[in-house]
Amino acid sequence: MALTVQTQISDGVFILSCDGRIVFGDECAVLRERVGLMLPGTPKIIVNLKGVDYIDSGGLGILVGLLVSARNRGGELKLVAPRKRVKEVLRRTNLDTIFGLYENNDEAVAAFRKQVA
């Protein structure tokens, strides 16, 4: 299943809702391109993984690269609602300690507000 990405903004935070698979190739390119277009506007990015049923090493690499790009601009990238399989991959690779993981978009947006305060 190809990756589709829906975008919305909440409190100056870009929220990308992903649906499909985040794997090496065109799927990763879609996500990287979309975030690349947003970073000049705000380095505060949320990637909602609720609709993602599979992620491979290329997908993990893209997420890490996007996190680094956001942090280089003084921002952050937070992950929301990863499914059990994706959460397990994040845990096994210790990336769950690098990314902020949240249950829903509102929690993640609130975490950005706390960082500013």
Side-chain angles (χ1 to χ4, degrees):
M1 178 180 186
L3 180 68
T4 58
V5 181
Q6 306 266 337
T7 308
Q8 66 185 66
I9 300 173
S10 177
D11 268 351
V13 177
F14 278 108
I15 302 171
L16 290 92
S17 296
C18 299
D19 198 25
R21 300 161 46 106
I22 301 178
V23 296
F24 181 78
D26 292 340
E27 286 84 355
C28 284
V30 167
L31 187 57
R32 182 177 48 241
E33 184 178 302
R34 187 73 61 96
V35 173
L37 293 172
M38 294 175 179
L39 281 174
T42 179
K44 298 175 183 174
I45 310 278
I46 292 171
V47 179
N48 188 311
L49 300 172
K50 186 177 183 180
V52 175
D53 55 4
Y54 182 80
I55 188 167
D56 70 0
S57 60
L60 292 174
I62 288 296
L63 290 178
V64 170
L66 296 175
L67 173 66
V68 170
S69 295
R71 285 183 176 173
N72 285 342
R73 292 181 175 267
E76 191 69 32
L77 185 136
K78 300 181 185 304
L79 302 178
V80 169
R83 289 184 178 179
K84 185 177 179 179
R85 173 186 250 171
V86 173
K87 192 181 253 186
E88 182 62 21
V89 170
L90 292 169
R91 188 192 63 74
R92 275 198 234 137
T93 57
N94 288 323
L95 290 175
D96 61 339
T97 62
I98 307 283
F99 288 101
L101 298 178
Y102 298 88
E103 294 295 317
N104 57 55
N105 292 340
D106 292 338
E107 254 185 43
V109 169
F112 276 116
R113 282 196 300 265
K114 288 179 186 173
Q115 284 179 327
V116 174

